[in-house]
Every structure is written in C-alpha cells, then in structure tokens.
Amino acid sequence: MGVQVRQIRPKRTLPFKKRHKMTWIGDNDKKKSLKLDDLKVITTLGTGGFGRVNLVQIGDDCSHSFALKKLKKSHIVANKNEKNVKEELRILSQLNSDFIVKFYQSFRDDHNVYMLMECCLGGELFTILQKEGSFSNTTTQFYTACAIEALEYLHSRNIVFRDLKPENLILDAQGYVKLIDFGFAKKLDIDGRTTTLCGTVHYMAPEIIRNEGHDIRVDSWTLGILMFEFLTGDLPFGGENSYAIFKNILAGIDTVDFPEYVTTSAISIIKSFCQENPCKRLAGISAIRQHKYFNDFDWDALVARTHAPPVVPKIKNATDSSNFIDCPSDEDETPSEGMSGDMDWDADF
Ligand SMILES: Nc1ncnc2c1ncn2[C@@H]1O[C@H](COP(=O)(O)OP(=O)(O)OP(=O)(O)O)[C@@H](O)[C@H]1O
C-alpha cells in the first residue's frame, strides 16, 4: 500500500493587482508537434510538490499561451513517485472534456518531465474563495456543477480523481472552472477498487483513512466537503494535526455544525455526499441533478456553456498572469543526483 498525503495549504493573503479590461479570449489551436526549445517561459503560474507550472508561448508568438507543468525527475525518483507521474500522463492524455484542462504534448530532458496543457488564465477558484470568504448558493451551484460534470466524465471511464478541492479548480477566460492536477487520479481495474492512502487530509473519505479499499465514490465524499467549504469558507472537519482531523472525519457528518445561513437543501445534499457508507452516498449525474439543491439550476445551459458564470475574470491578453499569485522564480536546476532504479521510467514522456 502506498501512502501519499497532502496537507491542505495554509490560507494565503492575496496581493492586490491592478485589473484591466479584458480584450482577449484565449483559444488553444496551436496543437502541433513541438520541441521543448520552441517554448518560451513567460512566468510561473503555480508551484507544487514536484515542480512548477509555467506560462509559456511558442517562440515570439504572444497571441497564444499554454501551461507547461515541469516536474523534477530527481524529486520524483527520491519519493518513489514514478508510477503516479506516469499514470497522471496516461490519464490526462486520454481525456477530452470541457470541464477538464486539455493536454497537448509531453516532453522530457535530463532533469525534468513536462506536460503541455491548455492554459486557464482566470486563476484558481481557491483565490476567488479566499477573496470572497464564502459563496452564495447560486455561485456554489455553478462551481459544484462544473466539478460534478468533470467527475462524471472521469467516473464513466472508471477513473477516480481523489483530490477534489478549490485549489484544483481553475477558471478559464469565460469563468467556467476546469479540473487540474491528476497526480492522484487512477484508472481502476475491473474490480473497481484500490487501496492507496492518498488525498488532501481534510478532504479524505473515511474508507481511505480506514484503509478499507476505495473506489470512485470517494469523489462523492469530496464533493460534500467542497460544497461545505464553498458555502461557509471553512472546512467541516478540522483539527490540530492529521490525526485529529481523521478522528473528526470518522466521527461523521452528523457531528458537524452547519452555520444558520446554510439552507436545508444545501445541508441535505452535503450530508448525502458525506454518507459514511459509500453505498449510501449520492452519486451519478442523474441522481445528483435531481436533488432539490439543484432544482432551479440549468444543467443544459451549463453543458452548452450558455450559463452565465458568477465571475468573469479580467484577462488583458494571452500572457496576462495577473489572476495568479506571484511565485518565486525558477531556481537553477540541480543535476539529478542519486537517481536509481529504472532509469528509463520516463520513456512515455
Ligand atoms: N492548466 C493550467 N492553467 C493555469 N494554471 C495552472 C494550470 N495547471 C496548473 N496551474 C497552476 O499551477 C499550480 C500547480 O499545478 P498542479 O496542482 O497541477 O501541480 P502539482 O505539482 O501537482 O501541485 P501539488 O503538488 O500541489 O498537487 C496550480 O495550483 C495552478 O495555480
């Protein structure tokens, strides 16, 4: 059994950045066979456990941009994460949904592996939630519905995502959100179950904590946590450390106090998602759509992308990264020392 646990990142203070009127809407039609050298790094959009995601353009063409995820091979090997990274590439390269960031091409060099993706310049939903504190019911409906569409697409292909949270939902130029970061995603075998202890601590389902084996229904659990965080700006299961958080999660959703302003239908859907027994959890797009919380929500308009999004990001051009928080610049790459095992593990990149 592998153990891969992420702490939720500490709440951050947002730097103020001047916004400009949007005059450009990105499209990513430059899906041709590229070389790594063709890409010019503009800035860093975000950093993660194994590397960073850079905003890049092709040569001097600043009319289009892409996101290039760069992962350090020495870190991957040192953490025995080769299998996960290969799975991330394998899964991402097979997906085609409006609610999931598009993958274009992979690369490798001596020190890193890379994934070239559609760039969503609207910033992280986490940043918007931090700014607004919490979301109204209509805003929660919209963003949750985007996440549900993304998960439904994955589940219909027997893929479990396992890391739903506001940090992994990113706004495109229109204001629709897309799922990013398939580092914990897994295509399930025929029996549909897996045992790896992984995910972000506050979002973990009880069966993952108990190591009982889990399946796509862990993503329903995380939908409930996500909705609670959207509506209250808080997490339902807190604690001083992972152990305390796990204890609270295992105590169950009925021990959670919902603020008074959370409506009965919102409480009802959150509790349906966060049923301790995975068999009793609300799952499947048609059952979710029929829940009274989504009574007045226009799913057809969402899928047709005619539903007005709650926030339309201000993006002045294809290389405008102002909706992202400044990241430290890329330090010089150190040689990949201490690599052992299968030296050709990255052959798929
Ligand atoms: N397609 C994209 N468009 C714009 N920004 C992106 C894109 N993909 C990732 N980012 C930014 O880069 C950050 C890190 O990306 P991602 O979560 O995929 O990396 P990671 O190394 O797997 O991170 P972690 O270890 O936290 O899971 C994101 O939080 C986001 O801010």
Side-chain angles (χ1 to χ4, degrees), residues 157-325:
R157 284 155 183 78
N158 224 14
I159 295 166
V160 59
F161 182 64
R162 301 195 289 195
D163 205 15
L164 185 67
K165 56 183 175 180
E167 289 93 325
N168 286 340
L169 292 166
I170 195 138
L171 270 78
D172 65 15
Q174 201 186 332
Y176 275 58
V177 293
K178 298 190 188 226
L179 204 55
I180 58 163
D181 193 359
F182 283 69
F184 284 158
K186 183 168 182 183
K187 174 115 182 156
L188 299 176
D189 296 334
I190 206 80
D191 72 345
R193 287 177 81 73
T194 184
T195 53
T196 310
L197 172 65
C198 71
T200 297
V201 175
H202 294 81
Y203 275 76
M204 274 189 190
E207 64 271 28
I208 296 186
I209 298 168
R210 292 199 179 104
N211 190 25
E212 293 169 346
H214 60 269
D215 57 24
I216 55 172
R217 291 171 294 191
V218 296
D219 290 334
S220 280
W221 175 277
T222 56
L223 274 168
I225 310 295
L226 185 80
M227 288 188 71
F228 188 97
E229 194 175 359
F230 283 168
L231 289 165
T232 67
D234 217 339
L235 289 154
F237 303 109
E240 288 292 293
N241 50 41
S242 302
Y243 178 77
I245 296 164
F246 290 160
K247 208 171 151 220
N248 286 331
I249 292 171
L250 296 177
I253 193 72
D254 289 334
T255 64
V256 172
D257 286 329
F258 286 79
E260 261 176 30
Y261 56 81
V262 181
T263 61
T264 18
S265 65
I267 296 173
S268 159
I269 195 166
I270 290 169
K271 288 193 170 182
S272 306
F273 281 135
C274 293
Q275 282 295 302
E276 170 142 19
N277 181 348
C279 301
K280 293 189 179 157
R281 249 170 239 164
L282 180 61
I285 194 102
S286 48
I288 297 170
R289 282 180 176 183
Q290 274 163 30
H291 190 281
K292 61 186 174 212
Y293 183 74
F294 284 109
N295 262 354
D296 56 348
F297 187 75
D298 190 344
W299 289 89
D300 293 339
L302 181 85
V303 174
R305 293 180 72 89
T306 53
H307 197 300
V311 174
V312 178
K314 294 188 171 81
I315 303 169
K316 71 175 175 177
N317 58 42
T319 57
D320 178 4
S321 62
S322 62
N323 290 312
F324 289 83
I325 289 164

Side-chain angles (χ1 to χ4, degrees), residues 6 9 45-51 53 67 69 71 101 117-120 124 163 167-168 170 180-181 324:
R6 280 177 195 160
R9 72 180 169 207
L45 296 170
T47 52
F50 292 99
V53 175
K69 185 164 176 169
L71 303 170
V101 78
M117 300 173 286
E118 164 189 13
C119 188
C120 296
E124 291 177 28
D163 205 15
E167 289 93 325
N168 286 340
I170 195 138
I180 58 163
D181 193 359
F324 289 83

